[in-house]
Amino acid sequence: MDFEVDLDFGDDGLVTVVAQDVETEEVVMLAHATREAVEKTVETGRAHYYSRSREELWEKGATSGHTQEIEEVRVDCDGDALLYRVHQSGGACHTGYHSCFHRTLDGEVVGEQVFDPDDVY
């Protein structure tokens, strides 16, 4: 698949992806994607990423049911980062929070926990 803009996947073959909930405009997670993950995202309308720890492609919510339906994919000015504007189903964070960015540097919890991770993982 060819894209209308040049994407820079870097030396490691990855592009940074920020996922933003279209309803709340909250940033819900940050991840990475390979070209294949971006292509699958565009083809299916569901967010796909590359897990650096597991070294594999994954679809968000495939096991948890907490999916990200793509509204739009935006590209930053340098082509080295993407913004997935998503309809977030359930929580984006594996810890049960709506957003992975649910605490401050002081450790204060500022986000909403929307599910018990023990019930999913």
Side-chain angles (χ1 to χ4, degrees):
M1 167 184 290
D2 289 325
F3 302 113
E4 294 296 320
V5 296
D6 290 329
L7 295 180
D8 180 0
F9 287 92
D11 294 337
D12 59 1
L14 301 173
V15 64
T16 300
V17 181
V18 174
Q20 178 186 41
D21 186 315
V22 295
E23 294 170 24
T24 65
E25 296 195 359
E26 181 179 21
V27 171
V28 293
M29 62 181 275
L30 178 122
H32 297 88
T34 58
R35 174 173 287 281
E36 180 184 10
V38 176
E39 289 172 349
K40 284 198 168 286
T41 295
V42 172
E43 289 169 5
T44 66
R46 295 182 311 275
H48 287 76
Y49 301 101
Y50 183 81
S51 170
R52 295 183 299 171
S53 60
R54 295 188 315 264
E55 297 183 350
E56 66 182 14
L57 182 75
W58 60 282
E59 179 183 341
K60 177 66 178 156
T63 56
S64 69
H66 300 277
T67 59
Q68 292 177 342
E69 296 295 323
I70 299 294
E71 174 83 16
E72 180 180 38
V73 177
R74 294 185 185 178
V75 182
D76 83 332
C77 56
D78 296 321
D80 62 358
L82 300 176
L83 176 67
Y84 284 2
R85 294 191 29 88
V86 303
H87 294 278
Q88 179 66 52
S89 170
C93 187
H94 71 280
T95 63
Y97 286 85
H98 178 72
S99 170
C100 292
F101 299 95
H102 63 270
R103 56 193 170 153
T104 67
L105 279 174
D106 296 331
E108 178 186 359
V109 175
V110 294
E112 177 186 7
Q113 190 163 25
V114 295
F115 70 92
D116 182 347
D118 293 334
D119 292 341
V120 178
Y121 297 99

